[in-house]
Amino acid sequence: MNMRQEETRMRGGGLGRSLVFPMFGLGLVVLIVAGLWPKPVGVDVAKVSRGALSVSVLEEGKTRIRHRYVVSATFAGSLKRIALRAGDRVEAGKTLLAELQGEWAGFLNPRVFAEAEVRVKATDASRKRSIEGMERAQAGLDLALKEQVRSESLKATGVISSREWEVAVNQVEVLTRELRSAEYSRQVAEFEYEQAQVALRQVQGPSEGLAGGHQLVAPVSGVVLNVFEESARFVNAGAALLEVGDPLELEAEIELLSSDAVGVSVGAPVAIEHWGGGRPLNGRVSTIEPSAYTKISALGVEEQRVKVRVDFVDALPEPRLLGDRFRVEARIRTWSGGDVLQVPVGALFRRGGEWQVFVKDVQVAKVVAVGVGHQNGVMAEVLSGLSEGQTVILHAPDTVADGKPVQERSVKGH
């Protein structure tokens, strides 16, 4: 009995030893297959969504006083020393800017006399035209104010939309600025007319009213921007003496690439940034100059630039006041939409001349061609190929391919 049990035990042990090697080989095959089996690639993903989208152009520029006036010598004579300095305030018709001592004329020159007479007539015509322009601006503003009152009543009853009411309000703001500009032009025209009359009297007879010197007073209220002739000396007729302007009449001058200026329209909203204050200032495009000019960039590349002028909508917060020719950055909106299907720009790539994205379908990446519209550097408008809620892969690595398994690392919103 003992011998039979020992024989059975030996037969069982031999069978176990005979199965060890096949089982070991099977396990080795399983490990090799598991090692060679493609692993999912870790990716970042985002959702295709709907929302507001705006496209803007960001460029550097500078501020400038809208209306500047250079006071020049009316006739040749001795200039007394100018006591004013840049930044001094002046008042129209009251502040003495400079004083000229007339020189006795030699031989009477008929040509000079005729030129003086013509200048008086020209400045008189300009003065009358400026008065008519101011009256026309005043009439336009009165009509716009009436239209604004009418629009407010219609908006309250729901007859017109909010956009139509905003257009009426904007028209009042624009015409108010035009009236202020027309008033400035009238003051300058009056000053030039008076100066032309003085020059004519000098030609007719220097002793008539000029023996005691001729005083140049401020043509407009504001500040002295520059003093070109400080010392007492003899100056010729037309020599620039000072430059004055109103610092409250400030605008921004932005130099855009001509390709960017094509997409900008008058009235487009602008955000003035990096001007020195704590928040951006709102502005509005007032003028787009019709001609471009060539400018050499810092890299030595020739660029075609266009000057765009921007009016400030927000008042400058005290005590931070922008001055003339201060550096600013302007973000000009070129397009905006309220309900736009959009995708992060980081999900887009070009292949074969068309835009494509990797869409995460279950756990597999699939290449999808998309139609792309406006872009702002962060999000892009989707015209075709995608639908809201789909998951796209951001900044797909080279290891991602069509049909390859992927696994998301994190979900990022836009």
Side-chain angles (χ1 to χ4, degrees), residues 293-334:
Y293 61 94
T294 303
K295 182 179 181 179
I296 307 300
S297 68
L299 300 177
V301 180
E302 288 190 358
E303 300 174 340
Q304 292 302 113
R305 294 274 177 172
V306 177
K307 288 185 178 181
V308 175
R309 305 193 187 281
V310 176
D311 288 337
F312 287 92
V313 175
D314 292 344
L316 301 180
E318 298 286 352
R320 299 183 179 91
L321 292 179
L322 280 171
D324 187 40
R325 298 189 178 97
F326 281 31
R327 177 191 175 277
V328 296
E329 290 185 7
R331 190 179 300 275
I332 305 175
R333 187 185 303 173
T334 58

Side-chain angles (χ1 to χ4, degrees), residues 40-45 360 365 392-397 399-400 405-411:
V41 179
V43 294
D44 295 326
V45 298
K360 180 176 175 290
V392 295
I393 298 175
L394 298 175
H395 308 290
T399 53
V400 176
V406 293
Q407 181 180 8
E408 66 180 67
R409 289 195 292 255
S410 61
V411 179

